Amino acid sequence: MPVARDIMSPGAECIGANDNILEAARKLTSLGVGALPICGMDDRLKGVLTDRDVVVKVLGKNLDPQQTKAGELAQGEAVTIGADDGADEIFATMARHKVRRLPVIDGHRLVGMVALADVARALPDPQVGDLLEALSTD
C-alpha cells in the first residue's frame, strides 16, 4: 500500500500567519488550490486555510479581508499526516477529523498536501466509499 509521500502533491506553499486573507485568496487563486497551510514565523504549521474559510468565516461574517490575518482562522492544533504513513492511516485520519486535505509532515517540515482525491486513487474501491460516507455525515 502506498504511503503519503507517494500520493501527495509535493511542494505545498504556506500562507504566513500574519498575511491577510486577501493575500491568501490571491495565492489560492494563483496556485489553483482549495487550501493552504498556515505557517508561523517559526516555520511551524499553525493550521490550514481553505477557500471555504475565506467565504464563510471572513466574507460571510462581513470581516475585512485586508485586515483579517490568516493566523486568526487557524483553530487548535493542525491535523497532519506523516510522510511515511500509509493510505489506511490517511483514510482513518481524514474520516476521524472530517477533513478532505491533510498537510504531509516529515519530522516538523511540511513536504506536501494529500487530498481526498489522492487517497481515493490509492485505496481499494470499498474503502473509498467508506471514506466519502464518513466525510459526508455530520
Side-chain angles (χ1 to χ4, degrees):
M1 179 129 336
V3 297
R5 75 173 73 245
D6 297 330
I7 62 174
M8 70 181 189
S9 296
E13 290 191 35
C14 285
I15 190 72
N18 291 323
D19 292 339
N20 69 45
I21 296 302
L22 185 57
E23 293 170 60
R26 288 180 175 147
K27 195 167 196 174
L28 285 165
T29 301
S30 70
L31 295 172
V33 296
L36 287 171
I38 303 169
C39 296
M41 297 297 289
D42 57 359
D43 269 345
R44 296 270 182 157
L45 187 67
K46 304 297 182 194
V48 175
L49 175 75
T50 66
D51 48 8
R52 187 174 192 281
D53 291 333
V54 172
V55 172
V56 173
K57 296 177 180 176
V58 179
L59 300 177
K61 293 189 176 178
N62 219 18
L63 299 177
D64 183 347
Q66 289 184 301
Q67 298 301 316
T68 306
K69 303 294 183 201
E72 294 173 35
L73 301 183
Q75 298 177 342
E77 191 171 325
V79 179
T80 63
I81 197 75
D84 294 317
D85 289 340
D88 286 338
E89 181 61 27
I90 300 167
F91 163 79
T93 302
M94 284 181 163
R96 182 171 47 253
H97 294 280
K98 295 192 181 289
V99 296
R100 297 173 188 270
R101 300 172 189 97
L102 288 171
V104 180
I105 304 295
D106 191 355
H108 290 289
R109 192 171 60 91
L110 177 68
V111 294
M113 292 284 284
V114 65
L116 176 60
D118 302 323
V119 180
R121 285 188 289 270
L123 290 173
D125 288 342
Q127 283 185 298
V128 173
D130 292 344
L131 177 59
L132 291 173
E133 183 178 339
L135 292 175
S136 298
T137 59
D138 291 332

